[in-house]
Each structure stands twice: as structure tokens, then as C-alpha cells.
Amino acid sequence: MTVPFDIQALSREIQDARGIAHKRDIDAVVARLGLGSRHAAVPVGDDCAAIPDGDGHLLLAIEGFLDSFVAADPYFAGYCGIMVNLSDVAAMGGRPLAVVDALWSRDAAEADPILAGLSDAAALYGVPVVGGHTNTRASCGNLAVAVLGRAGPRLLTSFDAAPGDDLVAAIDLRGRFREPHPYWDASTGAPGGRLRGDLALLPGLAEDGLACAAKDISMAGVVGTALMLLECSRVGGVIDLDAIPRPDHVPLTRWLTAFPSFGYLVSVRPDRTPAVCARFADRGIAAARIGRLDASRVARVRGATGEEAVVWDFAVGPLMGCGQDEAEAAA
């Protein structure tokens, strides 16, 4: 049963969410480094840096973790060091090659559960940890993990969504929250073969030409991640909130801020949407068309009654400052 909600208030909650605030921090860094133009050789705003290499691309991604998260759930923080980076590689149509980590802790005992999480995830996902940096005599704990991957000539990017595309959300609902956090964990405890096969769906979409734009759902949540995709591609669109795949027992308001261990948004030409959704469904992953993109550069959400609310107008101001044309980047 659909529970009524105030669509305008929900839109404001999305705008004010912590995950969105973290993405807004990117704008100042992008501007300071002069990285905002979509016409750069390697545009910034994708899930990985894509570096042309022979007949394909090397992919390089890095994730740093909040010290509060590392302190509260050190094993899962280490596990996520692998998991979220591999998700970034998959989101661009690539496969992982190797991982390095940088770990600071007060002592070896504090580092141990983090290293256990890294080791377990590396084994499950079948990617080696090949080196990094370790300091077990630091004044506080911190963790960053980077991954190197490879993709073919066809990438899934944040810059190639187009007006008229369907927006498809694919999320593994076979999980649970790691209470009280917003992390939806459908990975720990799952068979490694299944995890590796699920990730391979994304490069399969790229290699078979079924999609050319995608993004993994981050701490910004489903709508926040859609905002980043729309900004980079200079498009707008509407998201039907009731169409977003979610577990029956989870309220929509909580689900919109959830960070799923397997969750992607894919921009798809409408005639290819059934085939894309079927590929996810064949592996037990919920996938649905949740909206349609347009040329407005305005992101909206729609409730069950059909009422819409604007979440972001990119003509008024940037979110990350990525995907700008040359005049906007220079301003």
C-alpha cells in the first residue's frame, strides 16, 4: 500500500540530505582545479577516471571513508573498501584488476578488523590487494582504498545520458540494513560467484551496446545519484518515486537515503529497456524503469498522485560543477 507523503517536503529533504551535502563539496574542488569542463580529455564526474589505453581504457577509482564509519564498523569499512570501488569500476563498464589501500590506525589491534574486511571482500570478489600504505602508530584511524580496472572501447559514462532515455534503477533487495546506518548490505554472506556474476552485468551492457550511461547509487541515494548523472549529461528528467525498487518493509523516506551494496542507475533507449531489465531480473536483481530524461536540465520527482516537485535546476546552480560547457566552467 502506498503511504501518502508531502512531495514538496520530501524534495527539500533530498536537497538537504547529508549525502547531497558531501557531493556539493565537490563543486569547490572541481572549480579550484579547473576540472569542470565536459570537453576535457578525461571529464571529471564519472565513477572512475577513464584513461585511454590501446583498444580500451584503464579505470582508476579511489574511495576515502569517514572516520566515524571506520570507528563504528571497522570490518564493514574494510569490506566496503573493496566493494564500493568495484562498483565504481562496474558502473563504467569495466572489470577490476587490482586494489591498493592506505590505512592509518593507533595500533595493530585496531587495524586488524579493517584488514579482515579487506581480505574477505578481496577473496569473495576475486580481486587481489597488491600493496598500499600502512601506519599503525597514527593518532587517529583513517582508510582509503583505490582500484585499477579495465574496460573496452565502449564505456558506461555519466556524460552520455540523452533526452528521451529511460532511467532504469537496478538494486539487489536481498539484504538488510546495518543498523542504525543507511547501508543496505546485500553482499556480506553472499556467495562470491554470485557477487562476481552480478558485477559482470554492467560491462556486459556496455559491450553489447545496450547502454552507454550509468552510475552506481552512492551515499547520495537514488535521487541524489540521479542528480549527478543528469548534471554531467546536461539533461533533466522526472523520477517516479513509487517505481523505485525497494523492500516491502522499508519506508520510502528511508530508502531514498539508503546506500545499497549493489545499486545502479542506467540510462537506456526505450526500445532496449526490456532487455536491460531482463538481464538484472535473470540474476534475481530488482530492476525497473523509474523515469524518463528530457532536455530541461531540471530534475523533478513525482509522487503517486502525479504531483511533481523540483529537486534541482542545473541552470540556476551546479551540484558538483561537472559537465559544464566551457563558458560555465570559466565563470
Side-chain angles (χ1 to χ4, degrees):
M1 182 180 70
T2 299
V3 177
F5 54 84
D6 184 334
I7 189 73
Q8 302 298 331
L10 183 61
S11 174
R12 291 190 295 271
E13 287 181 20
I14 294 170
Q15 294 168 8
D16 295 338
R18 185 182 186 187
I20 292 291
H22 287 170
K23 302 306 179 184
R24 296 199 70 180
D25 293 344
I26 296 171
D27 182 28
V29 177
V30 165
R32 182 66 180 85
L33 296 177
L35 301 176
S37 175
R38 65 183 286 111
H39 303 296
V42 182
V44 170
D46 258 321
D47 291 285
C48 302
I51 305 163
D53 180 64
D55 60 352
H57 299 81
L58 292 174
L59 302 176
L60 185 61
I62 187 168
E63 295 283 350
F65 295 88
L66 294 173
D67 52 1
S68 58
F69 172 43
V70 177
D73 198 344
Y75 176 86
F76 193 55
Y79 191 97
C80 284
I82 302 291
M83 181 184 73
V84 300
N85 271 298
L86 301 193
S87 183
D88 285 342
V89 169
M92 292 197 67
R95 294 177 170 85
L97 297 175
V99 170
V100 295
D101 70 281
L103 172 63
W104 292 261
S105 66
R106 293 178 178 85
D107 52 41
E110 186 178 77
D112 188 68
I114 301 171
L115 294 171
L118 280 164
S119 178
D120 287 353
L124 280 170
Y125 284 99
V127 58
V129 178
V130 298
H133 171 84
T134 304
N135 180 352
T136 58
R137 301 172 188 272
S139 59
C140 61
N142 285 285
L143 174 67
V145 182
V147 63
L148 179 68
R150 184 166 183 83
R154 292 177 172 172
L155 291 173
L156 300 176
T157 83
S158 298
F159 296 87
D160 292 310
D165 282 0
D166 284 341
L167 187 64
V168 171
I171 307 173
D172 191 346
L173 304 182
R174 297 167 293 188
R176 70 283 184 199
F177 279 113
R178 294 185 74 94
E179 301 289 0
H181 306 292
Y183 313 127
W184 180 258
D185 179 11
S187 179
T188 60
R194 191 188 90 191
L195 296 173
R196 295 190 293 273
D198 291 348
L199 282 182
L201 286 168
L202 279 300
L205 295 181
E207 292 158 3
D208 294 340
L210 289 174
C212 58
K215 204 159 188 67
D216 77 316
I217 298 171
S218 70
M219 285 293 295
V222 173
V223 177
T225 300
L227 294 182
M228 294 187 285
L229 177 63
L230 269 55
E231 179 180 29
C232 288
S233 290
R234 297 178 61 80
V235 297
V238 60
I239 297 172
D240 291 307
L241 297 175
D242 279 352
I244 297 171
R246 65 182 167 101
D248 292 336
H249 64 283
V250 178
L252 176 64
T253 50
R254 186 177 192 191
W255 192 240
L256 290 179
T257 60
F259 176 27
S261 58
F262 185 103
Y264 296 88
L265 298 179
V266 188
S267 184
V268 184
R269 299 305 304 168
D271 61 319
R272 299 170 184 168
T273 298
V276 169
C277 290
R279 290 203 178 187
F280 289 106
D282 286 346
R283 294 197 60 85
I285 296 167
R289 174 190 178 276
I290 65 167
R292 176 68 59 86
L293 306 186
D294 56 42
S296 68
R297 297 192 67 197
V298 178
R300 295 100 64 203
V301 290
R302 178 186 296 146
T305 64
E307 183 183 2
E308 293 186 5
V310 172
V311 181
W312 210 278
D313 185 339
F314 297 108
V316 173
L319 174 59
M320 300 186 298
C322 302
Q324 300 172 315
D325 61 26
E326 292 172 350
E328 289 173 324

